[in-house]
Amino acid sequence: MIRTVFRIYKSAFSGLPLAVWMLSLVVFVNRSGTMVLFFLSLYFTRELHLPVTMAGKLISIYGIGSLFGSFLGGQLSDKYGAVRIQLLSLLTTALGFFVLSTLQGIFYIAVVLFFLAIFSESFRPANATAIAEICPPLQRPRAFALNRLAINLGVSIGPAAGGLLASRDYHYLFWIDGLTCLAAAILLMFYFRRIPPFLTGSAGVRTEMKKGKILEDRIFLRILLLVFACGLIFIQLYNTWPIYLREIYGIEEKFIGLLLTLNALIVVIFEMPLVHKIQKYDHLKMVALGSFLLGFGFALLPLSTLTVFAAFTVVVWSVGEMLVFPLLTSFIADRANDAARGKYLGFYNLAFSLAMFVGPAVGAGLYDQVSPTLLWVCCGITGLITFIGFRWIRHIPVKE
């Protein structure tokens, strides 16, 4: 049995280009210090003593900035090169965290959050564009799964450490997050400085190819709506979910961090072999199932207040997450030609960032003004809608 498991993992990880591993290493270093965003709502409510609604509005401002960052990250990657945009993103994000840790006034916090989001969120489409440029289509699902493995392996460290640090002083979170951004930037610059093809964009070699015009790709536009809906669910993880666990379940910050670590470990251990096994199936069919589980996992929360049950819900939506994101990212990268891939992935991240803008305010409003239970029921209904939507898109004829 051990040999069988070893063969499964070896097959899942073998054959990917070295550059993909290096990009994933950069992501790991960066994400190993990711802790501010996970605890930002608690920082606002418990350290700065702001109302839940105001905390939601401030996080929504981060969402507004992420709209610009996601769009610009894809656009600029096509023009100037994905590696350069990643480097700029990491350096400016580090500076933003250092500045944010010193602020008290709501206006100044809002301004810094806005620009921090622009630079921070430009990293994701740039990183995804670099991976798609390196890998042929058949390797992309595993390449994106490896990238997410690096993200979640880093996240298994960041939030757990963040929970412990938050119990002492929330300001430590900002400095650790900023320093790991700098470390990732140094690693990126060291490896890619001698690889010119990844430093320049594709603007000079644009050609007219099918699926090159985003507004004419109706299937892609429908997918963006469903990505937005999935994002509305997932963004509660950064907003109302930790508050609900603290207030209703009575779980302390350090244990909330461990629940986030549980999610990360599930992804790290199971996503690569899972994607390797299911990549031969219809991608959108798997994404549909994953989007349902994503919503269903959050909808289960009001059924108990036991910590072990909270852990069970994490397992449910973690499985959904593993089915949705690597396969959906690969599907979108495959739809675009080389000259427009950054734009496609930028719009994909833009849809998710739009959910980051709308989701915290809507979620906090339902949580604070109506009922936390209604919020989680809405997550379940949204998951069902996305399940139907992705299944429906599979049957739309592809028009050349």
Side-chain angles (χ1 to χ4, degrees), residues 208-223:
E208 288 296 327
M209 300 170 65
K210 65 179 182 179
K211 303 184 182 72
K213 297 181 179 179
I214 292 177
L215 296 181
E216 296 178 4
D217 190 346
R218 295 184 178 182
I219 291 178
F220 178 64
L221 295 178
R222 290 181 175 96
I223 287 176

Side-chain angles (χ1 to χ4, degrees), residues 73 75-86 126 129 133 197-202:
Q75 293 276 344
L76 297 177
S77 292
D78 284 337
K79 188 173 183 179
Y80 297 108
V83 170
R84 284 176 176 166
I85 301 306
Q86 289 176 81
T129 300
E133 288 175 351
F198 298 115
L199 295 177
T200 58
S202 56

Side-chain angles (χ1 to χ4, degrees), residues 39 42 46 159 163-164 166-167 170 246 251-258:
F39 292 95
L42 288 173
R46 297 179 68 83
L164 295 174
S167 301
Y170 276 98
R246 187 70 180 89
I251 302 175
E252 297 179 3
E253 285 89 341
K254 58 184 177 181
F255 294 112
I256 294 175
L258 291 177

Side-chain angles (χ1 to χ4, degrees), residues 8-294:
I8 291 173
Y9 275 86
K10 182 179 178 181
S11 176
F13 284 90
S14 62
L16 293 175
L18 177 60
V20 171
W21 287 90
M22 292 305 301
L23 286 169
S24 298
L25 180 59
V26 168
V27 169
F28 167 72
V29 172
N30 182 30
R31 292 292 183 173
S32 64
T34 297
M35 50 187 72
V36 171
L37 200 55
F38 286 108
F39 292 95
L40 200 55
S41 59
L42 288 173
Y43 172 71
F44 288 147
T45 56
R46 297 179 68 83
E47 181 75 11
L48 300 185
H49 307 292
L50 300 176
V52 172
T53 304
M54 177 57 68
K57 290 178 179 178
L58 285 172
I59 294 174
S60 288
I61 289 175
Y62 183 95
I64 297 174
S66 70
L67 295 177
F68 292 94
S70 297
F71 178 75
L72 291 173
Q75 293 276 344
L76 297 177
S77 292
D78 284 337
K79 188 173 183 179
Y80 297 108
V83 170
R84 284 176 176 166
I85 301 306
Q86 289 176 81
L87 185 59
L88 176 64
S89 170
L90 291 169
L91 293 174
T92 51
T93 299
L95 178 62
F97 281 132
F98 296 151
V99 173
L100 187 60
S101 68
T102 67
L103 301 178
Q104 295 289 327
I106 292 177
F107 173 77
Y108 297 109
I109 291 173
V111 171
V112 172
L113 273 177
F114 175 73
F115 286 102
L116 175 63
I118 291 177
F119 291 111
S120 176
E121 296 301 319
S122 66
F123 179 85
R124 289 192 297 167
N127 185 258
T129 300
I131 291 173
E133 288 175 351
I134 293 167
C135 291
L138 290 178
Q139 289 186 338
R140 283 173 188 158
R142 288 193 299 131
F144 286 120
L146 176 64
N147 189 260
R148 279 179 39 78
L149 184 152
I151 292 172
N152 284 278
L153 189 58
V155 168
S156 69
I157 300 171
L164 295 174
L165 291 173
S167 301
R168 295 175 175 270
D169 189 338
Y170 276 98
H171 292 90
Y172 291 147
L173 277 62
F174 295 91
W175 283 94
I176 297 298
D177 218 331
L179 289 173
T180 52
C181 286
L182 290 178
I186 293 171
L187 180 62
L188 184 73
M189 189 164 42
F190 174 78
Y191 180 76
F192 286 97
R193 73 187 189 282
R194 296 180 181 177
I195 309 181
F198 298 115
L199 295 177
T200 58
S202 56
V205 293
R206 296 183 184 278
T207 57
E208 288 296 327
M209 300 170 65
K210 65 179 182 179
K211 303 184 182 72
K213 297 181 179 179
I214 292 177
L215 296 181
E216 296 178 4
D217 190 346
R218 295 184 178 182
I219 291 178
F220 178 64
L221 295 178
R222 290 181 175 96
I223 287 176
L224 290 182
L225 291 176
L226 297 175
V227 170
F228 171 74
C230 289
L232 290 178
I233 301 171
F234 196 73
I235 199 59
Q236 300 311 316
L237 179 64
Y238 300 95
N239 184 37
T240 51
W241 182 77
I243 296 175
Y244 187 80
L245 293 184
R246 187 70 180 89
E247 293 183 349
I248 306 301
Y249 277 70
I251 302 175
E252 297 179 3
E253 285 89 341
K254 58 184 177 181
F255 294 112
I256 294 175
L258 291 177
L259 287 175
L260 290 168
T261 299
L262 172 63
N263 159 249
L265 291 176
I266 290 172
V267 173
V268 167
I269 295 171
F270 296 109
E271 182 168 294
M272 278 293 286
L274 176 64
V275 170
H276 182 54
K277 287 296 183 183
I278 67 174
Q279 65 179 353
K280 60 184 177 182
Y281 299 114
D282 187 303
H283 285 191
L284 289 185
K285 187 176 182 180
M286 295 293 101
V287 169
L289 175 60
S291 66
F292 171 76
L293 292 175
L294 189 63

